[in-house]
Amino acid sequence: MWNRPLAHSVAAAAGSVVLAAAVVGIHTVPASAQQTPRVFDVLCTPTDAGLSELSGLTVTTTGMYAIGDSGSDDRVAELDSNCHVQRWIDVGTPRVDVEDLSSTPDGHLWLADIGDNNAVRTSIGLIELDPASGATTSYPLVYPDGAHDAEAVLIQSDGLPVIVTKDYLGASAVYTTAERQHVQDLSTAPPTMLAKVGQLRFTPTLTSGGPIPHAGTMAVTGGAVSKDGTVVALRTYTDVYLYTAPDGDVVKALTTKPIRVPLPDEPQGEAIAFDAAGDLISGSEAYQGPLPPLRILRSASDIALSGGTTSSLGS
């Protein structure tokens, strides 16, 4: 979700700002030539209007799951291979703005209740949902430095949660649990404290798509980790950045140089997920139009691990 009243001023500001190449902590990634475009095939097209606000996707051994953001995040859709909704699963617990969806090897879903367009929330949270039983558990989280808007959660293969904030000028902060608690060790009360562990800075690209020109190319709107834990994906409205994590360390992976792959022109792309084969699935909100298709980048993990043909963070 984006703050529509701010769109014009944000886009105008972004057009006058020259940003450095992406960095995490003190690691600097120099700008270089654009990654050779890859083909995203159409996987399937949703038909259920309940997916018009699609914001999060994840794939488990039992199927693909999808959720919308604020206003439509009270239920999760289980999809078949044709994007047909097989069933809706009620979340059944209070939430403010779910913006991403992940899963763990046990098949449980993790809803990232981290959206905060106006940066006013005193806490955010993760919601664990067992799709078999429908049982949910909420785990509140607190930033150490005030409120932030975020739309991307990354869960390491060992269960460590990593949150990447959203900023239209490209300055995204990286947070994880202060005591490195894994999701299975989070507290239901009191809230678990987060710690800032890095800073990402994106440059604008020329890739088309999204509701906000220029600035939208730098705003992180979703994230995913491959099933084997070795590849990390962060997306904006227009591009996906693939990082390698050979030892499964997501935070460390974000200090490495990613491969940027332009996404297909999506009206408001916020969803991204890996399947078991290492393919990358991208999804978008309808944004006042027809439901857009889910698209798939075959062998995305292999592209990341091979280093691609060329790599870049800006054009």
Side-chain angles (χ1 to χ4, degrees), residues 16-287:
S16 64
V17 174
V18 178
L19 295 176
V23 299
V24 180
I26 61 173
H27 181 81
T28 301
V29 180
S32 55
Q34 178 176 320
Q35 163 70 24
T36 302
R38 303 283 179 163
V39 175
F40 279 79
D41 298 319
V42 172
L43 178 63
C44 54
T45 302
T47 57
D48 194 309
L51 296 172
S52 63
E53 296 286 324
L54 177 64
S55 186
L57 280 173
T58 194
V59 179
T60 74
T61 57
T62 59
M64 181 162 57
Y65 296 87
I67 193 169
D69 55 23
S70 180
S72 62
D73 58 1
D74 58 335
R75 55 184 185 165
V76 174
E78 181 179 334
L79 307 178
D80 66 14
S81 59
N82 294 313
C83 285
H84 297 150
V85 175
Q86 298 302 288
R87 61 172 175 145
W88 287 100
I89 308 169
D90 290 335
V91 175
T93 192
R95 80 230 138 260
V96 176
D97 185 7
V98 174
E99 288 286 356
D100 207 357
L101 185 64
S102 188
S103 54
T104 41
D106 60 3
H108 286 197
L109 309 181
W110 289 84
L111 288 60
D113 184 12
I114 56 178
D116 191 8
N117 282 333
N118 298 315
V120 296
R121 296 179 62 175
T122 57
S123 68
I124 56 173
L126 295 176
I127 300 171
E128 181 182 14
L129 170 62
D130 178 358
S133 67
T136 58
T137 306
S138 297
Y139 303 97
L141 307 169
V142 175
Y143 291 112
D145 51 0
H148 300 277
D149 188 27
E151 295 189 4
V153 66
L154 305 165
I155 299 182
Q156 285 185 182
S157 55
D158 64 3
L160 182 74
V162 177
I163 293 170
V164 180
T165 65
K166 178 183 182 182
D167 183 83
Y168 284 105
L169 298 182
S172 289
V174 182
Y175 292 86
T176 189
T177 48
E179 301 297 326
R180 296 300 193 270
Q181 299 98 319
H182 298 170
V183 290
Q184 58 267 29
D185 301 320
L186 294 176
S187 170
T188 56
T192 298
M193 181 61 67
L194 298 171
K196 185 177 180 180
V197 292
Q199 183 79 28
L200 290 160
R201 187 168 292 276
F202 295 92
T203 57
T205 75
L206 299 179
T207 311
S208 61
I212 306 176
H214 307 302
T217 70
M218 299 179 287
V220 174
T221 62
V225 179
S226 63
K227 298 307 178 184
D228 64 2
T230 63
V231 179
V232 177
L234 284 179
R235 69 160 299 159
T236 66
Y237 286 121
T238 57
D239 300 89
V240 62
Y241 296 83
L242 301 174
Y243 300 81
T244 57
D247 59 358
D249 188 328
V250 167
V251 174
K252 186 165 71 174
L254 296 178
T255 69
T256 65
K257 184 177 182 179
I259 294 173
R260 177 172 69 86
V261 181
L263 288 161
D265 191 343
E266 295 175 324
Q268 190 170 327
E270 299 185 1
I272 204 83
F274 283 100
D275 65 13
D279 304 327
L280 192 66
I281 302 169
S282 175
S284 174
E285 292 192 19
Y287 189 57

